[in-house]
Amino acid sequence: MISPELKQVILKQLNLDDFDIKDETTAPEVPGWDSLNHINIILAIEEHFKVKFKSYELLRLKCVGDLQKLLDSKLTKQ
Amino acid sequence: MEKFNIEEANTLWKRWKLNAEKYPDKEAVVHWLAGENPFRWTYKNLIETAEKFSLILKKHGIKKGEVCAIIIRHNKFLYPLYFSIIRLGALPAILAYPNPRLHPDKFRQGLEGMSQRSGLDYVLTEKELDPLIRPLIDKQGSTIKNIFFPLDWDLDSEFDSALNDKIEKAADEIKFEDEAFLQHSSGTTGLQKPVVLSHKALLYHVKYLGERLGMNQQDKVVSWLPLYHDLGLIAAFHIPLAYGITTIQIDPFEWVLAPILQLEAVTKEKATMTYMPNFAYNVLAEKIDEEDLEGIDLSSLRAVVNCAEPIRHESHVKFIERFKKYNLNPLSLAGMYAMAETTLAVTVTDIGKPIKEVKTDRDELAQGRVKLAEGNSSIRICVSSGRLIEACDARIVDDNRKGLPDGIVGEVAVKSVSMFDGYRNYPEKTAEVVENGWYFTGDYGFKYEDEFFIIGRKKDIIIVAGKNIYPEDIEDAVNQVEGVIPGRVIAFGEEDPEMGTEFISVIAETKAGTEEEKNNLRLAILKAGMSIDVGIHKVYLVPPRWLIKSSSGKPSRRTNKERLIGNKDPQVWSR
């Protein structure tokens, strides 16, 4: 499940008040989440949660649920 | 430096065959895959596989002169497939694979419009797109005869030598002046203009651009540019392969997620050249973590060529600052002015020399005059796109297409030995832009000390990350949104200094009154953009009759943009 905190960081970066983001949601389904903005969303998540993603980790992500899992794994290690 | 001898092999297939004879084991294409070993095509393997593909294509009835659209994602077989179509004398046209956000109907409409304009005969694609494309074949008036899935073909089936000999004999008869391939000049869905280029146009371009770039047999090009884009197709695919050097092809979708791939490929393959639009300089300079850069060495790069959108001084500064400690030679940075209509380049800066920059007085420049900035001028630094390449000519003209002196801003008109023969099946459009052998580009610029500087556009095209987008496409989509007053929408580009490109803004008239209604309308407008695979960044909502009309009776993009930017109008809601 997508944490409210992650959802908020994504929505803020996209300048959206609300949008139904679920585990299976993919970037192209979310208004404003295009390829250029993707980089900025990842950087915003890194900054907010004080984590660093590896490029290859990001290439494997298929949906927001995968992003949440990757984030959780980073936070657990901290 | 070796001279490129056109007479030695005067069609693309003959050239590729010659390269396979001269350098059989040299790598032609290194097909890059993130986190995996790349697939390496030698010239010999590439030719042999292309022969196998052409046998199957021939058996499927594909003939000389027919147009074959290729809609395939980053795949190692795309290259020999492309070769095989050219071997048959048919015309390949690489088209973008539909982004998931693009509405299926919009994709179909775009392809249908393109098929009617370009006269597409066959679509070579992936099985996944079958349900999307097949209905087009049966549609009345469709030019598309069939759809094939070449990635599923068995290339190891028995090799028909007799048929291969017959195909080779026919390939020998293809002439220098014959049409070779088709590329689409710009635009999003229905407005793309098909440009057909001959073997002659391409091979002359290889010779003259290659000479100006100082290309040699040790060069290796790295590119993540999509092959449906003219810069990717010509600079990073056709030119290296005609020259007999190596091109390293990265998946554009992977590059966007992990731009470090480009620098890794340069480091591992000791690449010497790379081409990219301006925004990519910002992305590489600012969006990669320092720890990801461990081991990166850019010392092999001798040409980093900025092309496909206006060159920004700040982007070059950021790029050099970030990568000089990774052994980037600042003098490797270059600028190029190019367009599909002249095969590619018109001008390019001298490799290995500093790019000329002119500090102009911004206000004077806005009035069309180049005046060097003085003490308290507002400065605009204009970056040169370089000098003309051989067998190319360019001049700056006024609205009546009369020549202007150096230092005056006007439209750029160009002429080239590699010029297109007109847009395919589009004589009225060709007539609009070609006169007495000159192509009127619609770009604004000036000539200063023998170099050309491109500073804007006469047309309202928006360039986002090197991709040309017509505002009409966006306006058509937004006009369908409930709550927007039909016909009362304009789209335009705004400077995006952070990303080194433009972003898309929309002004729409509406009767929506409450904050909630306006937010909902904005979301609907963003979704309308998504349906045509266009990311709208900013929405301005204005009351009815706010937009100023031009003399044609339509809302004027330029006037309304100027009215909006920098003026705080309480009637304007924006987000």
Side-chain angles (χ1 to χ4, degrees), chain B residues 41 44-54 77 80 155:
Chain B
W41 286 106
K44 186 168 174 271
N45 288 345
L46 193 54
I47 286 290
E48 285 172 356
T49 310
E51 286 176 347
K52 290 177 186 172
F53 268 121
S54 58
F77 287 113
L155 293 176

Side-chain angles (χ1 to χ4, degrees), chain B residues 144-264:
Chain B
I144 302 172
K145 295 171 191 157
N146 214 336
I147 176 170
F148 299 120
F149 310 104
L151 302 182
D152 297 341
W153 289 346
D154 176 15
L155 293 176
D156 295 323
S157 60
E158 205 175 318
F159 189 81
D160 185 339
S161 299
L163 182 59
N164 192 53
D165 291 347
K166 201 175 152 192
I167 293 171
E168 193 59 28
K169 195 163 173 270
D172 272 345
E173 286 163 14
I174 294 172
K175 295 185 191 68
F176 185 45
E177 293 80 9
D178 283 352
E179 295 176 336
F181 61 97
L182 197 147
Q183 58 175 340
H184 287 87
S185 72
S186 61
T188 38
T189 50
L191 288 164
Q192 292 196 322
K193 299 190 292 280
V195 173
V196 176
L197 291 166
S198 64
H199 298 268
K200 177 184 164 190
L202 194 277
L203 290 171
Y204 268 122
H205 207 65
V206 174
K207 178 177 171 60
Y208 293 129
L209 181 59
E211 284 174 4
R212 270 302 296 285
L213 294 172
M215 278 183 125
N216 61 71
Q217 283 303 314
Q218 282 66 51
D219 272 327
K220 285 184 179 180
V221 177
V222 161
S223 173
W224 52 266
L225 299 160
L227 293 174
Y228 59 80
H229 191 290
D230 54 359
L231 188 60
L233 183 68
I234 306 297
F237 182 74
H238 268 297
I239 293 183
L241 295 177
Y243 226 90
I245 61 171
T246 306
T247 180
I248 298 134
Q249 295 283 320
I250 299 169
D251 184 346
F253 289 104
E254 288 191 341
W255 179 86
V256 165
L257 297 173
I260 185 70
L261 290 175
Q262 185 180 3
L263 307 180
E264 281 181 3

